[in-house]
């Protein structure tokens, strides 16, 4: 998946470029800057000394030296005062400039820390939102794998309100499926005792009961595979393939595989990612999941969070992934 949020130490990331939250001098500092210089060794500082510093919102590139990454892109985030001093525009610029440099150096994989969210004081949830927004815009036009690296769980906070809304939704919907099963099996047994063989209408009767067009369309869809349903929905929504897989945060290779194999069985997160990208209703999502052999269940937090977003009409996959991450669930498309 083109954008992934991971918990790691950025100095350990074996990517083409890691991004450093530097200061204007580019001569090293604390936090992630200190960790990167420590891991890269003294040659990094020697190269940084030749660069003549860097303005806030801009970015410069050096070698990675002893790091697993080939390059370090140094960008200077804004110091957060009160949000009214152009901080957001500057922070957006850091991500844009860094991505442009990475692209100019043919980087296929890039890892960002949450710039400005440490000593520079940018509120972490807002810093994360800026990162996600700018990176996902960039990925709509460009092929690259981008990681947002979160160092510790505390750095990762979705908005308090969203967190509590989801927590409440989970509380309301999280059920012990066995209890439901017991209830259902009791009522099934009861109905067996009291009811004679059910009168099943034959197909013609069903046809007479339903508008023919609907039924014909439904019958045609019985044998439709996941891949066929996906392609049909893309057409119905008037999307291009690329719009769909990019919005689903699915990479092009995986999409081509699904497109060319009628019987392709995706993983559940991949199937859901497409449902989100296509902005399917809850019922349509269930239909699509069934094609891949899955269902949404109320005994699973992951499923309830997905249901929460779909029923609230929020189809932003990156926001959904933020929430899944905050609730320790695996991410969509991952
Ligand atoms: P800034 O001065 O831009 O705020 P900091 O280095 O103080 O930069 O913090 C930026 C973010 O980087 C913080 O969220 C901090 O938790 C995170 N961070 C610190 N060390 C690492 C590391 N080794 N890998 C990834 N992220 C890190």
């Amino acid at each position: 998946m083109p954008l992934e949020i991971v918990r790691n130490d950025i100095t350990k990331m074996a990517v083409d470029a890691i991004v450093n939250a530097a200061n204007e001098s580019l001569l090293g500092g604390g936090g992630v800057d200190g960790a990167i210089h420590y891991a890269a060794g003294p040659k990094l500082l020697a190269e940084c000394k030749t660069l003549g510093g860097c303005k806030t919102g801009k970015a410069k590139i050096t070698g990675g030296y002893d790091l697993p990454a080939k390059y370090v892109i140094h960008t200077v985030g804004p110091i957060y005062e009160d949000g009214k001093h152009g901080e957001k525009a500057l922070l957006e610029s850091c991500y844009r400039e860094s991505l442009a440099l990475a692209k100019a150096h043919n980087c296929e994989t890039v890892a960002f820390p949450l710039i400005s969210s440490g000593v520079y004081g940018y509120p972490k949830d807002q810093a994360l939102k800026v990162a996600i927004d700018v990176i996902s815009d960039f990925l709509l036009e460009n092929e690259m794998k981008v990681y947002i690296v979160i160092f510790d769980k505390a750095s990762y906070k979705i908005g308090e309100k969203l967190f509590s809304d989801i927590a409440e939704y989970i509380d309301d919907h999280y059920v012990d499926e066995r209890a439901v099963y017991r209830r259902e099996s009791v009522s099934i047994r009861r109905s067996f005792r009291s009811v004679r063989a059910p009168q099943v209408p034959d197909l013609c009767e069903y046809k007479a009961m339903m508008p023919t067009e609907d039924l014909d369309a439904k019958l045609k869809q019985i044998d439709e595979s996941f891949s066929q349903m996906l392609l049909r929905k893309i057409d119905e929504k008037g999307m291009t393939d690329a719009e769909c897989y990019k919005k689903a945060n699915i990479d092009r290779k995986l999409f081509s595989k699904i497109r060319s194999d009628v019987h392709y069985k995706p993983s559940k997160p991949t199937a859901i990612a497409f449902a989100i990208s296509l902005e399917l209703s809850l019922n349509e999502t269930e239909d699509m999941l069934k094609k891949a052999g899955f269902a949404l269940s109320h005994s699973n937090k992951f499923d309830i969070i997905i249901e929460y977003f779909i029923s609230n009409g929020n189809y932003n996959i990156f926001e959904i992934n933020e929430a899944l991450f905050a609730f320790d669930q695996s991410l969509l498309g991952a």
Side-chain angles (χ1 to χ4, degrees), residues 8-10 21 31-32 35 114-120 124 151-152 155:
N8 203 345
D9 172 351
I10 202 163
V32 72
L114 264 192
I115 298 161
S116 282
S117 74
V119 179
Y120 280 7
K124 288 182 194 297
F151 195 44
D152 56 301
S155 309

Side-chain angles (χ1 to χ4, degrees), residues 7-234:
R7 200 172 305 154
N8 203 345
D9 172 351
I10 202 163
T11 64
K12 305 277 193 297
M13 297 288 292
V15 284
D16 294 333
I18 61 169
V19 177
N20 180 16
N23 57 47
E24 287 196 343
S25 76
L26 294 189
L27 300 180
V32 72
D33 196 5
I36 289 175
H37 275 276
Y38 181 78
K43 286 186 189 147
L44 177 62
L45 183 59
E47 186 179 354
C48 282
K49 281 182 179 163
T50 67
L51 298 178
C54 178
K55 290 217 164 71
T56 301
K58 300 286 178 200
K60 292 197 175 171
I61 192 164
T62 63
Y65 300 99
D66 295 343
L67 288 164
K70 190 167 162 202
Y71 298 110
V72 179
I73 294 171
H74 306 263
T75 189
V76 184
I79 296 173
Y80 190 88
E81 288 180 50
D82 52 7
K84 295 177 186 146
H85 289 76
E87 293 95 329
K88 182 162 177 272
L90 286 167
L91 187 56
E92 287 168 349
S93 166
C94 288
Y95 285 97
R96 266 199 301 271
E97 297 264 330
S98 302
L99 288 164
L101 260 184
K103 184 178 173 182
H105 285 76
N106 301 316
C107 295
E108 290 177 357
T109 49
V110 178
F112 281 91
L114 264 192
I115 298 161
S116 282
S117 74
V119 179
Y120 280 7
Y122 211 104
K124 288 182 194 297
D125 53 343
Q126 293 175 39
L128 179 65
K129 183 154 178 21
V130 169
I132 290 174
D133 286 350
V134 178
I135 296 169
S136 44
D137 269 1
F138 174 85
L139 290 176
L140 287 177
E141 307 287 330
N142 296 278
E143 294 289 330
M144 199 183 275
K145 170 109 190 172
V146 181
Y147 297 92
I148 296 176
V149 182
I150 306 294
F151 195 44
D152 56 301
K153 184 76 191 286
S155 309
Y156 194 92
K157 266 179 70 193
I158 56 173
E160 295 285 343
K161 165 100 176 67
L162 179 61
F163 191 93
S164 61
D165 281 356
I166 297 173
E168 200 178 303
Y169 193 87
I170 292 175
D171 275 353
D172 286 351
H173 293 79
Y174 202 27
V175 290
D176 178 351
E177 200 133 83
R178 280 164 306 175
V180 172
Y181 172 73
R182 274 198 301 275
R183 269 204 307 277
E184 278 175 355
S185 56
V186 167
S187 62
I188 288 166
R189 255 179 289 151
R190 272 201 204 116
S191 57
F192 262 125
R193 250 185 266 135
S194 57
V195 178
R196 275 180 291 143
Q199 295 288 306
V200 181
D202 65 17
L203 195 58
C204 299
E205 281 175 281
Y206 272 127
K207 273 204 159 198
M209 281 151 49
M210 287 178 79
T212 339
E213 266 175 35
D214 268 19
L215 182 60
D216 285 345
K218 288 238 174 317
L219 287 174
K220 269 196 205 118
Q221 286 163 23
I222 287 177
D223 292 328
E224 193 181 44
S225 70
F226 174 83
S227 146
Q228 287 167 327
M229 176 170 181
L230 173 65
L231 298 177
R232 173 171 63 84
K233 284 286 175 195
I234 291 176

